Amino acid sequence: MEEKTYRTIYAALLLALLFATTPSSSSSILDLKNELYHSTKTDAESLLQLKNTIQKDPRGVLTNWRLGTNPCNWFGVSCALGRVRNLNLCGCNLSENLSLDPLPSLTELSVLNLSRNSFSISSSGLIHLPNSLEELDLSSTGLHGIIPEIFLGLSHNMRDAHLQHQFWKLLIPASLSKCVHLKVLNLSCNELSGEISDFFAELRNLERLHLSSNQFTGSIPAGLRNACGSLLQQKLSNNNISGLIPNSFSNCFSLQQLDLANNISGPIPEDALRNLTSLEILSLGNNFITGSFPSSLSACKYLKMVDFSSNKLSGLLPPDICLGASSIEEIRAPDNLIDGKIPSRWSRCSRLRMIDLSINNLEGMIPPELGLLANLELLMLWFNSLSGSIPSELGRCSRLKNLILNNNFIEGDIPLQLFNCSNLEWISFTHNRGNLQRVRPPRAVLQLANNSLTGEIPSELGNCTCLVWLDLNSNHLTGKIPPVLGRQLGAGALSGILLDNTLAFVQNVGNSCKGVGGRTAGVHRNPAGETPPGPDAQVVRLHQALLWHRSKRLDALPNPRVPRPLLQ
């Protein structure tokens, strides 16, 4: 029986005896009452000593921590059977130096959460944490120094340890292997170095291992397979790890999330993926992964998101991943060497919200069958060699927000059916071979530069009410830009791009249009309410005053390589 169970039974018997009424036991009852009182008093004294080390409490959360009052009623404190069991001071804006020395007296403390404060805590104080702790969260608390070798070795009962966002250096102590009950270990965003040791294999109950954003080197240890029976999440991204994904991952039948971004190289072991039948999120972006797009993903029937961004994948896209992975919502594989055609059978992935295959060598037409994807929100295919026309069937994608097709060989008009998509915010069709006959502007961005467009600008552009960016650069357009376009006030909040206020940039370089803006060279500030400039001005500004306070939000627009306006 565990030590905690003995303590609980003891405390329960203690309370039961307090209510005993036989005369022969009166002296014993008094002794037990005194013991309980002194335990509560000792807990209060320890907490007050802890409070005295906290130098700044701007919100006054500790004002009711006073001598002579019951600590079980204090802010952030929870008790059981008269003893302090839970101390939670998360996000209280407490700051300055904090000593953990008073904590050993809290012998019943099982949960300690001091996260998201601005302390300065020496890592050497971790050895003073009570052995009774089961859940520890010291993330973002200003821990600094070297991890004591015996720290985790003293915490035999520890189940959850959140120690991310600190200033720790050097290695993870080998004593970690003694925390056999550990289920969650988060050491991400530190300065830990060295190789990832095989002693993680001793943690047979581990469910979530987060080691991202450190300075680990070497390869992923094959010994992790011993922890695979319980592992649900493994995050090792943004380290200096090299080498292949170990085949031992094929034993991780329960794994739901695997994040190895910015680390590894070589081909993806198909057998390993085929056995990850519980996988939901696979993040392998910004690596040097070679080989083909893995067809074994079709075995991951719970898969929701796969990210192969910025790798060296080549060959064809597997056509039948939807047969098994029908739950997939996001496919991200931009900046690779993939060629061939976009599989029409991907339309069977009915939950798809995002397809990003930008910066590859894809050719052929955009499959009209993609119009069957009722949940599709982002279709990003820029910088490929796609040809043909934009399929009108995409107009059935009622949730479509962003259609990014620039730098292909697509011809013809933008189909009017596309504007049935009421949520459409961004159309980028630059550097293609399109025509401009009839168009209904999207809610935010319309980019048609470098298409050899001729004729006059369609009058429909004058009806737009919330255009953020209209780009007609480097075409052969004539006529006038509709004057009303320069006087719109904007309307409606745009989800995810610009809220509350709108701004339109009319870029008209390389055309012969006159009227609002003439030839433009950039975007400059303009006082709110000022009428648009005449034909000789350099720029066109359509805005509301408060937008300039939100101008940095343009960085969040979904196409990072589209040139942004210059704010001067």
Side-chain angles (χ1 to χ4, degrees):
M1 188 178 296
E2 296 181 358
E3 181 183 352
K4 178 186 174 182
T5 305
Y6 283 119
R7 293 199 306 265
T8 303
I9 294 175
Y10 172 75
L13 291 173
L14 179 63
L15 288 178
L17 288 172
L18 289 177
F19 294 96
T21 57
T22 57
S24 60
S25 62
S26 58
S27 60
S28 299
I29 294 173
L30 182 60
D31 292 339
L32 291 172
K33 285 182 177 179
N34 288 335
E35 182 177 345
L36 181 61
Y37 168 75
H38 285 298
S39 297
T40 304
K41 182 181 178 182
T42 301
D43 286 352
E45 291 173 348
S46 297
L47 291 176
L48 288 174
Q49 292 175 23
L50 182 70
K51 175 185 177 180
N52 290 336
T53 70
I54 299 174
Q55 302 175 28
K56 291 185 179 181
D57 177 15
R59 291 167 50 185
V61 297
L62 304 180
T63 53
N64 71 336
W65 287 30
R66 297 190 302 272
L67 188 65
T69 60
N70 189 344
C72 299
N73 297 326
W74 293 355
F75 176 86
V77 178
S78 299
C79 295
L81 303 175
R83 297 298 308 277
V84 173
R85 291 291 181 85
N86 189 330
L87 177 57
N88 186 350
L89 298 177
C90 171
C92 291
N93 294 330
L94 305 173
S95 60
E96 302 299 332
N97 295 326
L98 176 68
S99 172
L100 302 179
D101 293 355
L103 294 180
S105 299
L106 299 175
T107 57
E108 296 294 322
L109 188 67
S110 61
V111 179
L112 176 62
N113 188 345
L114 301 177
S115 63
R116 293 167 47 209
N117 285 289
S118 300
F119 296 126
S120 176
I121 306 174
S122 174
S123 296
S124 60
L126 293 173
I127 62 175
H128 298 297
L129 294 175
N131 296 340
S132 57
L133 271 183
E134 297 178 1
E135 300 179 23
L136 174 65
D137 192 344
L138 297 179
S139 57
S140 302
T141 53
L143 270 170
H144 57 84
I146 300 174
I147 305 175
E149 174 63 32
I150 63 173
F151 157 49
L152 291 168
L154 298 173
S155 307
H156 300 297
N157 298 311
M158 189 80 71
R159 295 199 318 264
D160 293 9
H162 297 271
L163 302 168
Q164 65 270 30
H165 292 280
Q166 309 294 352
F167 302 99
W168 281 355
K169 299 180 182 292
L170 300 180
L171 309 176
I172 299 177
S175 60
L176 175 66
S177 61
K178 298 180 180 180
C179 298
V180 294
H181 300 293
L182 200 63
K183 291 186 176 181
V184 178
L185 178 62
N186 192 337
L187 294 172
S188 60
C189 301
N190 284 291
E191 298 180 16
L192 301 173
S193 59
E195 295 190 3
I196 299 176
S197 175
D198 268 337
F199 59 65
F200 283 104
E202 303 299 322
L203 306 179
R204 304 297 177 88
N205 294 303
L206 193 63
E207 295 179 356
R208 291 172 172 81
L209 176 62
H210 299 178
L211 302 178
S212 298
S213 300
N214 280 286
Q215 299 172 15
F216 291 117
T217 56
S219 59
I220 300 173
L224 276 176
R225 65 179 180 271
N226 294 331
C228 273
S230 58
L231 207 58
L232 302 178
Q233 291 182 347
Q234 182 166 279
K235 297 182 178 182
L236 305 178
S237 61
N238 299 303
N239 281 286
N240 297 316
I241 299 171
S242 58
L244 306 174
I245 300 175
N247 284 317
S248 58
F249 275 23
S250 59
N251 297 324
C252 300
F253 303 109
S254 302
L255 194 64
Q256 297 174 359
Q257 182 174 3
L258 178 60
D259 185 357
L260 301 177
N262 291 294
N263 278 302
I264 57 174
S265 60
I268 300 173
E270 293 272 1
D271 290 341
L273 287 183
R274 192 172 288 112
N275 290 332
L276 299 181
T277 53
S278 300
L279 195 64
E280 297 180 7
I281 298 175
L282 178 61
S283 301
L284 299 177
N286 296 289
N287 286 300
F288 293 93
I289 297 174
T290 57
S292 59
F293 194 105
S295 60
S296 55
L297 287 175
S298 60
C300 305
K301 60 181 179 180
Y302 299 109
L303 190 64
K304 294 181 180 179
M305 190 276 284
V306 58
D307 187 355
F308 294 127
S309 304
S310 299
N311 279 285
K312 303 296 181 183
L313 293 177
S314 58
L316 306 179
L317 294 169
D320 294 321
I321 60 174
C322 299
L323 294 181
S326 58
S327 298
I328 195 165
E329 298 178 4
E330 298 182 18
I331 298 177
R332 306 180 186 183
D335 193 14
N336 279 280
L337 304 171
I338 301 170
D339 52 27
K341 298 181 179 181
I342 301 172
S344 60
R345 290 202 287 269
W346 280 18
S347 61
R348 299 179 183 178
C349 294
S350 59
R351 299 184 183 180
L352 264 178
R353 296 187 297 106
M354 172 191 284
I355 299 176
D356 188 354
L357 299 173
S358 306
I359 321 177
N360 279 289
N361 300 319
L362 296 171
E363 57 187 10
M365 299 178 61
I366 300 173
E369 290 84 353
L370 296 185
L372 298 174
L373 297 174
N375 294 303
L376 190 64
E377 297 180 6
L378 289 90
L379 181 58
M380 306 178 73
L381 303 173
W382 52 297
F383 273 99
N384 279 286
S385 298
L386 298 172
S387 56
S389 59
I390 301 176
S392 60
E393 288 81 357
L394 290 180
R396 301 175 186 171
C397 302
S398 58
R399 298 185 180 182
L400 188 63
K401 293 182 179 180
N402 298 330
L403 180 62
I404 312 298
L405 303 176
N406 48 291
N407 295 84
N408 282 286
F409 301 104
I410 300 173
E411 301 177 337
D413 296 333
I414 299 176
L416 289 179
Q417 293 89 337
L418 193 61
F419 299 100
N420 294 332
C421 305
S422 58
N423 294 311
L424 195 61
E425 296 180 351
W426 188 317
I427 295 178
S428 182
F429 197 48
T430 62
H431 293 276
N432 279 285
R433 301 170 180 172
N435 298 322
L436 186 61
Q437 299 298 324
R438 300 179 61 192
V439 62
R440 298 175 189 170
R443 298 180 63 194
V445 177
L446 178 60
Q447 295 173 293
L448 299 173
N450 294 95
N451 271 280
S452 300
L453 302 177
T454 60
E456 295 190 357
I457 297 178
S459 59
E460 289 90 344
L461 286 177
N463 299 326
C464 60
T465 57
C466 51
L467 198 60
V468 175
W469 188 352
L470 171 62
D471 186 353
L472 302 175
N473 287 344
S474 300
N475 285 290
H476 304 290
L477 297 171
T478 59
K480 293 184 178 180
I481 298 175
V484 67
L485 188 63
R487 294 178 173 82
Q488 63 165 309
L489 295 177
L494 299 172
S495 63
I497 294 185
L498 297 169
L499 299 178
D500 304 325
N501 299 278
T502 61
L503 169 66
F505 311 121
V506 181
Q507 299 192 8
N508 187 33
V509 175
N511 293 303
S512 300
C513 299
K514 298 181 180 180
V516 178
R519 294 177 179 268
T520 65
V523 176
H524 299 251
R525 286 179 187 263
N526 195 50
E530 182 175 314
T531 57
D536 297 329
Q538 294 182 338
V539 297
V540 169
R541 291 84 72 182
L542 309 175
H543 60 269
Q544 287 179 293
L546 293 179
L547 175 70
W548 295 106
H549 298 289
R550 299 176 173 85
S551 61
K552 290 185 179 180
R553 297 190 60 178
L554 286 168
D555 291 333
L557 293 174
N559 187 351
R561 296 198 179 187
V562 172
R564 293 187 177 88
L566 174 65
L567 302 182
Q568 297 181 348

